[in-house]
Amino acid sequence: MQLRKVTAASAAVLALSLAATACGGGKKDDNGSSGGKKIAVGIKFDQPGLGQKTPQGYAGFDVDVATYVAKKLGYGPDQIEWKESKSADRETMLQRGDVQFIAATYSITPEREQKVDFAGPYLLAHQDVLLRADETAIKAPKDLNGKKLCSVSGSTSAQNLKAKLNLKTDLVTYPTYSACLSGLQSGAIDALTTDDSILAGYAAQAQFKGKFKLGAFKMTNENYGIGVKKGSDLKAKINKALESMVSDGSWAAAVKKNFGPADYKNEPAPKIGDVKS
């Protein structure tokens, strides 16, 4: 009788073990191509026109690019697990394997390339400033000296102010651009600085119509790439997907859909590997 109990218990353990193994068969690997049911993709959640979480789902140019790429990798829209990728967290998320790739206004820089690999670029943007519509004192980059500017922690825009642009500003950094926008609206800061594509998305929102304007300074080149874990073979696969997106017209359609309302003057689709300094 005792023997039967032990045997039954062992069989139950074995059954549970086999079930767990079967369930684990669909788990995604670092390359997001194991035939699994889900692929984790990093985007921004608070950038209108690029990556935004809405009551209806996720929307924006980066979302459309990532969805197209995921499809080419064998994943449908319902198989994408969207994860918020704040500027300061992106390298860590890729290195830890939290996501398989990141499309989140992720500028390609030599410093970042030491930690992660990039596919692309898929969009060329430029650093600019967003100003209140009634601002008259700031007409050129030099007018930013002595002004209170806001940008996001870990972004290239914050680093560029001193490193590339040699501007002496009072810089305030927040975790998100939405927080910066609130400061600009209230008058706590004089300008919000980041990429013109991001600023155009905010300026185009219905609730901000007529309240803000772009400086149109084009202070730097920002080459948006898709970040992957260092050494991942996803880089080559994503590059092919991006080339396909441009050639079949999907890239141009996504630009028109997401930036058209803001009358954003985008650059032509960049060639893969052509990173503008």
Side-chain angles (χ1 to χ4, degrees), residues 36 71-73 78 80 85 113 123 138 175 181 210 224-225:
K71 182 179 179 181
K72 289 294 184 180
L73 295 176
D78 60 339
I80 301 174
S85 300
E113 286 182 308
L123 184 72
I138 302 175
L181 194 66
Y224 289 177

Side-chain angles (χ1 to χ4, degrees), residues 22-274:
C23 291
K27 186 178 179 181
K28 54 188 176 291
D29 63 10
D30 286 341
N31 294 325
S33 56
S34 65
K37 298 299 183 183
K38 294 285 185 179
I39 183 169
V41 178
I43 57 169
K44 292 292 179 67
F45 278 15
D46 70 329
Q47 289 181 353
L50 285 151
Q52 185 179 28
K53 185 178 181 179
T54 74
Q56 293 74 39
Y58 299 89
F61 181 71
D62 282 348
V63 174
D64 289 344
V65 170
T67 300
Y68 186 99
V69 168
K71 182 179 179 181
K72 289 294 184 180
L73 295 176
Y75 296 88
D78 60 339
Q79 295 174 300
I80 301 174
E81 182 183 357
W82 300 109
K83 293 195 175 185
E84 184 174 20
S85 300
K86 294 180 180 179
S87 295
D89 300 334
R90 290 175 296 202
E91 286 83 32
T92 301
M93 291 181 72
L94 288 170
Q95 291 167 343
R96 279 196 313 233
D98 296 342
V99 292
Q100 275 57 65
F101 67 85
I102 291 178
T105 60
Y106 203 178
S107 297
I108 302 171
T109 68
E111 294 77 19
R112 289 171 177 167
E113 286 182 308
Q114 294 178 9
K115 301 176 182 178
V116 301
D117 285 339
F118 285 98
Y122 63 91
L123 184 72
L124 176 60
H126 306 283
Q127 184 170 349
D128 200 357
V129 292
L130 191 67
L131 307 166
R132 287 182 292 278
D134 59 358
E135 175 63 64
T136 58
I138 302 175
K139 299 178 181 179
K142 63 181 178 61
D143 297 327
L144 296 171
N145 284 310
K147 299 294 184 180
K148 181 172 281 190
L149 268 66
C150 187
S151 194
V152 167
S153 307
S155 70
T156 54
S157 301
Q159 300 163 13
N160 286 342
L161 290 174
K162 290 184 179 179
K164 287 186 177 182
L165 303 173
N166 197 30
L167 294 174
K168 297 178 181 179
T169 65
D170 183 4
L171 178 65
V172 178
T173 57
Y174 290 136
T176 66
Y177 292 111
S178 297
C180 285
L181 194 66
S182 297
L184 178 61
Q185 192 170 13
S186 68
I189 61 170
D190 299 305
L192 162 56
T193 184
T194 186
D195 305 343
D196 52 8
S197 56
I198 298 172
L199 298 175
Y202 281 116
Q205 287 186 290
Q207 66 266 38
F208 298 133
K209 186 175 180 179
K211 295 182 178 180
F212 302 111
K213 62 182 179 181
L214 285 168
F217 295 160
K218 290 191 175 184
M219 296 183 285
T220 65
N221 291 327
E222 302 300 330
N223 304 269
Y224 289 177
I226 293 182
V228 299
K229 191 173 184 178
K230 199 76 175 172
S232 171
D233 64 3
L234 268 187
K235 177 180 177 178
K237 296 177 183 178
I238 293 175
N239 277 335
K240 288 183 179 180
L242 293 174
E243 289 175 339
S244 177
M245 188 175 188
V246 172
S247 65
D248 70 12
S250 298
W251 186 91
V255 168
K256 183 177 181 180
K257 168 189 168 186
N258 294 290
F259 299 129
D263 196 28
Y264 173 59
K265 308 299 183 185
N266 65 283
E267 301 280 3
K271 294 188 180 299
I272 298 301
D274 183 14

